[in-house]
Amino acid sequence: MNVFLPVKQLQTFLICFILMTISVSTRAADSPLLIKNLGEGHCLVRVNTSQNYLLLPVEDASPDVRISMIVNNKEVKNFDVRLAIHKVDYFVPVDLSDFSGKTVSFKFKMNSNDPIRVNLSPDNTACCKEMKLSDTFDTTNREKFRPTYHFSPLYGWMNDPNGMVYKDGEYHLFYQYNPYGSKWGNMNWGHAISKDLVNWEHRPVAIAPDALGTIFSGSAVVDHNNTAGFGAGAIIAIYTQNSDRQVQSIAYSTDNGRTFTKYENNPVLVSEARDFRDPKVFWYEATKRWIMVLAVGQEMQIFSSPNLKDWAFESSFGEGYGAHGNVWECPDLFELPVEGTNEKKWVLLCSLGDGPFGDSATQYFIGSFDGKKFSCDNQPNVTKWMDWGKDHYATVTWSDAPDNRRIAIAWMSNWQYANDVPTSQYRSPNSIPRDLSLFAIDGGIYLQSAPSPELLKLRGVSKKRSFKVNGTRIVKDLIPNNEGAYEIELSLKNQQAEIIGFRLYNDKGEEVDMQYDMKEKKFSMDRRKSGEVNFNENFPMLTWTAIEEDKDEMKLRLFVDRSSVEAFGDGGRFAMTNQVFPSEPYNHISFYSKGGAYKVDSFVVYKLKK
């Protein structure tokens, strides 16, 4: 039967009932895994083994259980896990390898503050029956929606990209990571390394929580001149630690990012502000100082330092500028040339939960920076969006990228439904990498996002077609053996059509409909019939952006993966990123016109494979 219990009574009854069941019925006295009931909602799991992992069964619908890991009577870490009560959705590993030959204890306690309705029948003991020790943890992909060429974690939850830095031929990608479940929590810095922005080597957790708090977003730099005293060429990570308050800390690596040592005098910067996070740091040559941009409430604050340890406040920016429907997050500040001119401008990126289509989006500001203050060229009421889709957030760029490139990547999800998307082994990929530039039009300067050229090496054999569309033109079977990962290049010329449209679809009737509305001067993408859409009411959506006036020739690149579509118009003058979850790949395209005709000068499909 279903029983509704007060939290304290439920904690005691649920945890101890389950764990006593193991102790009595499934664990022998000499077992390397022993579980003891301590009463009043406390239980102890004792491990005495040389095996590498304790595998914990997870059920996403369960409440969090706080787990304290204890070695030699000292807590070495703590984290939350949604331990399986009714069924096992997946397993997460707790690494024991550093404590081989020692007794490791785990103290369990349910830490939810809300009443929970749960079935307490005797057979609801999935966690207890399935918890086990192992020398290995299987990361073989079990997800049909896992992307082919977008980065995603092997397992667990991922959100904001962090600490992106290039050094000695390697791109380092750190990211907000929960290694103990596929929902947000337990924030660590995950880590991956690439030589080409496409193929990634998964690395162990780079920076883990400590007594100052969990590890929130931040950045990383190469300290070429040893200003911090950790060694010339050391990689320095600067990150927010989140506990009762948010503070800024640093850690350093002298082995090219393989391991990090936390600075013994952390934190290096504190504030009375409650929202005080996401430091982006860079070297400003004119003043010979490091600059830090921090998201503080609904503004950005700028600090400077000679050594990455001692920081002085310089200025703030944000009041009255841009969108303010939620706190500002994930700043980035960099200089770019304006194409076709001798001019350079500074760009300030800012993510917030107030996008043009609900919640997560990245806005930007164009202006100047003098080492102390950012001044915006835009009128205060102007908002410029970096991407016009629903799934492009926390956009930041690599430090020290080669050839003065400014390469950006974003978290490809939205806080409205990120915890609900239909995957379980992992949640959330990143966008493709994009090279940023500035262009001028109609008296304004705008940010351009073009797919990074490294993506060209993914292309396989293609076939070029051209034809006229006056009504409907269907192209079946876009590529042989379609696994859902391909790129489409389109070159279009209008011949008095009011609507230039095309829809990707599969044999299940699922589709993504895109069109240029030549009267309204809009490009749109409609995913309301794209596949699985009912897991969250905010997911079905049509997104759109304005296109240039009096433009009858359009170029478009579409990057399609197993669970996303990214559109780039005219070299990246607009970008639109949306997740999709079709039951099978979109393998057909239907071109259509309304009110006239148009010509497809070039239609090319490339199968993409790493």
Side-chain angles (χ1 to χ4, degrees), residues 112-150:
S112 173
N113 292 320
D114 298 318
I116 303 159
R117 187 177 298 276
V118 62
N119 189 330
L120 295 177
S121 62
D123 60 343
N124 285 334
T125 58
C127 164
C128 309
K129 291 179 179 179
E130 301 296 337
M131 189 186 304
K132 55 192 173 184
L133 294 162
S134 176
D135 279 325
T136 60
F137 177 64
D138 182 13
T139 59
T140 303
N141 181 46
R142 300 185 297 275
E143 298 284 353
K144 70 176 182 178
F145 292 129
R146 184 183 289 276
T148 298
Y149 57 92
H150 292 78

Side-chain angles (χ1 to χ4, degrees), residues 163-438:
M164 290 132 61
V165 64
Y166 177 87
K167 185 174 187 289
D168 295 340
E170 295 178 330
Y171 292 92
H172 292 267
L173 169 65
F174 303 94
Y175 52 91
Q176 292 286 277
Y177 181 49
N178 180 8
Y180 303 115
S182 297
K183 291 194 174 187
W184 185 92
N186 303 308
M187 285 295 98
N188 293 248
W189 269 24
H191 186 201
I193 298 173
S194 176
K195 294 183 181 298
D196 61 5
L197 294 172
V198 172
N199 298 283
W200 293 93
E201 172 196 353
H202 293 274
R203 300 287 303 170
V205 164
I207 305 177
D210 56 34
L212 288 174
T214 51
I215 312 301
F216 272 23
S217 296
S219 55
V221 297
V222 179
D223 188 9
H224 296 285
N225 300 318
N226 194 26
T227 63
F230 301 130
I235 295 177
I236 316 294
I238 309 96
Y239 51 90
T240 297
Q241 295 208 250
N242 183 69
S243 184
D244 295 331
R245 311 297 286 182
Q246 294 181 346
V247 299
Q248 314 313 314
S249 295
I250 62 174
Y252 62 92
S253 173
T254 57
D255 59 1
N256 274 6
R258 269 61 181 177
T259 60
F260 281 85
T261 301
K262 293 171 181 173
Y263 177 46
E264 62 183 3
N265 292 321
N266 279 336
V268 297
L269 184 60
V270 300
S271 172
E272 296 180 3
R274 181 167 294 277
D275 295 304
F276 184 69
R277 56 180 176 265
D278 308 344
K280 176 66 178 188
V281 173
F282 63 94
W283 178 256
Y284 190 72
E285 182 64 27
T287 59
K288 305 292 185 184
R289 292 179 73 86
W290 295 100
I291 303 300
M292 177 192 292
V293 188
L294 268 172
V296 185
Q298 293 197 24
E299 67 178 17
M300 301 302 184
Q301 292 186 358
I302 297 174
F303 299 80
S304 71
S305 170
N307 57 13
L308 294 168
K309 301 173 181 175
D310 305 299
W311 293 93
F313 175 77
E314 298 289 359
S315 63
S316 61
F317 168 79
E319 184 175 357
Y321 282 85
H324 281 270
N326 211 324
V327 293
W328 286 14
E329 294 187 311
C330 304
D332 202 345
L333 181 61
F334 48 87
E335 190 178 32
L336 287 174
V338 181
E339 289 184 353
T341 75
N342 295 320
E343 189 176 18
K344 290 185 177 182
K345 286 290 182 181
W346 285 80
V347 181
L348 175 63
L349 302 184
C350 165
S351 292
L352 76 163
D354 184 33
F357 306 104
D359 213 297
S360 308
T362 303
Q363 64 178 329
Y364 67 93
F365 305 92
I366 306 293
S368 59
F369 179 67
D370 61 4
K372 294 179 179 290
K373 179 181 179 181
F374 175 78
S375 300
C376 184
D377 293 347
N378 304 346
Q379 293 296 318
N381 61 349
V382 173
T383 302
K384 295 180 177 179
W385 299 107
M386 187 175 181
D387 188 286
W388 291 87
K390 188 82 171 169
D391 296 304
H392 193 266
Y393 191 67
T395 315
V396 284
T397 66
W398 265 275
S399 300
D400 277 29
D403 303 320
N404 293 315
R405 292 170 64 189
R406 185 56 59 175
I407 308 168
I409 205 166
W411 178 48
M412 193 160 62
S413 196
N414 190 299
W415 281 116
Q416 288 181 333
Y417 45 74
N419 283 289
D420 304 326
V421 296
T423 63
S424 60
Q425 184 184 28
Y426 80 100
R427 280 195 174 93
S428 301
N430 283 330
S431 70
I432 60 170
R434 307 172 184 197
D435 276 45
L436 306 183
S437 58
L438 294 176

